Amino acid sequence: MKKLCLVIFLLGMFTYAQTADESQLRKIYDVSLTNAKGYDWLNHLSNQIGGRLSGSIQAQQAVDYTKAQLEKLGLDRVWLQPVMVPKWVRGTPEFAYFESTPGTSTNVPICALGGSVATQPGGLKANIIEVQGIEELKIIGREKIEGKIVFFNRPFDQKLISTFDAYAGCVDQRYMGAAEASKYGAVGIIVRSMSSRLDDLPHTGSMSYGDTPVKNRIPAAAISTKGADLLSTTLKLNSDTKFYFKQNCEQLEDVKSYNVIGEIKGSTHPNEIMVVGGHLDSWDLGDGSHDDGAGCVQSMEVLRLLKETGYKPKRTIRVVLFMNEENGLRGGNEYAKVAKSKGEHHVFALESDAGGFTPRGFSLDCSDANFEKVQSWKALFEPYLIHMFVRGQSGADINPLKNSEMLLAGLRPDLQRYFDHHHAANDTFEHVNKRELQMGAATMASLVYLVDKYGVEPSIKIKG
Ligand SMILES: [Zn+2]
């Protein structure tokens, strides 16, 4: 009888614990969906400030604005962490056309890739040769490439369900295309935009010259997907087609900028730090609403939602708005460097940098024990249609913090439309849905609550 009583008591405790978690998650989602702040913050970042290229006035305005908003939340501490960032400027809008026969030219939408050099002031005109990837340069050889513009035109693989996989399968053309093509004497490169969709918008993004000497660096631009198809068709009809483009972008001296940080001190384990963040910088063609204004305001929301629902975290919960993810990752690297030098003990980090779309779950980068632990919370997320708990990358900004003990996570929203907007002029506020954005914030806050309450699993130490 005593045993039975104990079983009933323990069962009761277990049920109670489950109910407490269920009701805490319910509260978090309720507040996020009925009393949102994130959407208003995003409205300001996007429509009052706009695109936030590292080193720009807008990036500084975003630092000032988000710091002021965090201060209003009544956190225990809000501060700026200085970091030197690259400053690349686009200059006047780019211009391009191709000429299939002398006198017959067709304008095409292009934009300079971030970090590219300019063309000569009068622009660059040359024959253009299409390739499907970097590997093809070697096969074609210097003879056919020298003096020409190389046109990298490998499209997204539409069969891939993960658009991030499709992106990963193409982005080497954008990132390394110029460095590789210049080795064969190319005078410039044009890259098909990294997008799943056929439209007239060019998508920018970072590129690298690697160890290419300054004098050998060639201008690099992205062409819209429709422009790429048109150019490709034209080249099939007339391989002697010439391409003209003009851009006057420039890499300036590094400037001082900041990561914006706020925290709630833990009540029982203040030295165990949990980070939640996104990146505050963006590209300049749109206003960076999905990439990554959404992730920033969702991360700010996490701390507000915990406070609003009356939850007192055991561990220190820190929001970090990283500067310069797009063209340097200086903010993420600096944050990890400072954390290490101060001997801070980070146990968890969560990043949202995949757009403000309907949340589906998390991508987890951690030990088996921690992966199982997160999996055990699946049922709690089911009412909110959150079901994806998979292994994978977490986020670029939090990756420098990685060690064998930490639990790293990335919010995984629905990913079919992300690359319609990514780094293009249509990454704008009206393409973010308020409910979807706030569902994402609540989903993040729920995971933060559960990890804080139950802690992370210690890594298994093999006794010697
Ligand atoms: Zn991003």
Side-chain angles (χ1 to χ4, degrees):
M1 186 62 192
K2 262 187 187 170
K3 259 188 188 169
L4 187 67
C5 283
L6 185 68
V7 168
I8 292 169
F9 174 73
L10 287 175
L11 249 158
M13 286 285 289
F14 182 63
T15 314
Y16 172 73
Q18 270 203 325
T19 311
D21 290 340
E22 281 169 7
S23 81
Q24 177 59 24
L25 260 63
R26 186 67 259 176
K27 273 197 257 175
I28 289 172
Y29 278 89
D30 285 352
V31 175
S32 191
L33 292 170
T34 60
N35 170 23
K37 274 276 196 298
Y39 190 69
D40 297 334
W41 289 329
L42 186 64
N43 186 7
H44 187 99
L45 275 179
S46 302
N47 290 324
Q48 301 301 315
I49 297 175
R52 302 171 293 280
L53 252 181
S54 286
S56 66
I57 289 168
Q58 290 86 347
Q60 184 56 43
Q61 287 171 339
V63 165
D64 297 339
Y65 173 72
T66 49
K67 178 171 179 269
Q69 296 308 309
L70 287 176
E71 277 164 351
K72 284 187 196 165
L73 297 183
L75 306 179
D76 294 319
R77 198 178 157 217
V78 175
W79 72 101
L80 298 181
Q81 181 175 70
V83 57
M84 294 302 286
V85 297
K87 184 178 170 78
W88 176 84
V89 292
R90 184 172 299 283
T92 49
E94 302 82 350
F95 177 69
Y97 64 80
F98 60 79
E99 197 177 77
S100 45
T101 52
T104 313
S105 65
T106 307
N107 290 2
V108 279
I110 66 150
C111 66
L113 295 182
S116 174
V117 295
T119 56
Q120 304 93 300
L124 168 66
K125 190 175 180 182
N127 277 97
I128 183 159
I129 182 167
E130 178 179 339
V131 296
Q132 295 299 304
I134 287 168
E135 319 70 46
E136 214 179 308
L137 298 172
K138 200 175 176 185
I139 299 163
I140 293 173
R142 173 173 275 270
E143 209 176 296
K144 287 188 180 153
I145 296 172
E146 196 155 35
K148 289 183 186 150
I149 295 166
V150 171
F151 168 37
F152 289 96
N153 193 30
R154 185 168 77 256
F156 272 26
D157 182 350
Q158 299 290 358
K159 300 189 295 300
L160 295 171
I161 302 305
S162 164
T163 53
F164 278 82
D165 290 346
Y167 178 70
C170 288
V171 75
D172 62 323
Q173 301 175 101
R174 186 193 81 201
Y175 194 71
M176 290 306 295
E180 293 300 320
S182 67
K183 290 178 189 165
Y184 297 88
V187 293
I189 69 153
I190 296 293
V191 186
R192 182 188 183 90
S193 282
M194 300 292 131
S195 176
S196 338
R197 193 166 76 164
L198 264 186
D199 61 23
D200 291 317
L201 301 170
H203 295 234
T204 190
S206 64
M207 52 89 64
S208 167
Y209 287 111
D211 53 10
T212 312
V214 174
K215 65 175 175 40
N216 293 344
R217 293 180 182 182
I218 59 175
I223 184 169
S224 72
T225 47
K226 266 190 177 175
D229 279 359
L230 188 60
L231 178 59
S232 180
T233 307
T234 307
L235 277 167
K236 282 184 184 76
L237 295 170
N238 179 9
S239 61
D240 197 35
T241 297
K242 291 186 172 47
F243 195 88
Y244 170 88
F245 73 116
K246 185 180 170 188
Q247 57 190 34
N248 69 344
C249 43
E250 199 179 351
Q251 189 76 49
L252 305 172
E253 292 285 301
D254 286 1
V255 299
K256 191 177 185 182
S257 188
Y258 303 92
N259 290 327
V260 183
I261 309 175
E263 72 177 21
I264 303 172
K265 265 263 174 278
S267 57
T268 55
H269 307 293
N271 294 331
E272 290 189 19
I273 298 166
M274 295 176 50
V275 163
V276 55
H279 63 86
L280 201 49
D281 66 305
S282 78
W283 286 107
D284 55 330
L285 299 175
D287 60 36
S289 283
H290 276 298
D291 187 13
D292 183 26
C296 288
V297 301
Q298 286 174 327
S299 301
M300 293 162 71
E301 275 285 38
V302 168
L303 276 71
R304 188 186 73 95
L305 293 172
L306 294 179
K307 273 189 93 78
E308 286 274 317
T309 54
Y311 181 70
K312 301 231 175 323
K314 297 180 189 175
R315 295 165 174 81
T316 293
I317 315 281
R318 201 178 266 181
V319 54
V320 185
L321 309 179
F322 297 94
M323 186 50 71
N324 183 230
E325 187 271 347
E326 295 292 2
N327 54 342
L329 206 67
R330 300 272 187 93
N333 287 328
E334 182 67 16
Y335 181 81
K337 198 178 108 190
V338 171
K340 197 176 174 193
S341 73
K342 287 187 172 172
E344 288 181 343
H345 181 39
H346 283 71
V347 293
F348 172 83
L350 166 63
E351 181 157 359
S352 167
D353 184 18
F357 300 100
T358 306
R360 302 290 197 211
F362 297 97
S363 162
L364 302 154
D365 187 1
C366 59
S367 66
D368 290 346
N370 277 319
F371 187 65
E372 273 166 35
K373 192 164 197 170
V374 176
Q375 293 269 2
S376 74
W377 299 326
K378 257 182 145 173
L380 288 165
F381 285 97
E382 257 170 33
Y384 311 99
L385 310 179
I386 303 301
H387 60 274
M388 229 182 106
F389 294 86
V390 295
R391 283 190 178 280
Q393 297 284 321
S394 51
D397 296 290
I398 58 173
N399 202 49
L401 285 168
K402 187 173 170 172
N403 62 42
S404 61
E405 299 192 4
M406 270 187 82
L407 168 49
L408 297 175
L411 180 71
R412 284 292 162 261
D414 188 273
L415 37 75
Q416 301 310 325
R417 285 174 290 149
Y418 186 54
F419 291 97
D420 294 0
H421 303 276
H422 187 246
H423 301 176
N426 65 342
D427 181 3
T428 47
F429 184 67
E430 68 269 25
H431 294 293
V432 176
N433 175 283
K434 183 177 179 180
R435 280 184 67 80
E436 293 182 355
L437 180 79
Q438 294 296 140
M439 281 288 290
T443 303
M444 292 166 72
S446 298
L447 182 64
V448 168
Y449 157 75
L450 289 165
V451 175
D452 176 65
K453 185 170 172 187
Y454 296 107
V456 295
E457 294 298 313
S459 64
I460 301 157
K461 298 228 163 55
I462 299 158
K463 285 176 190 152

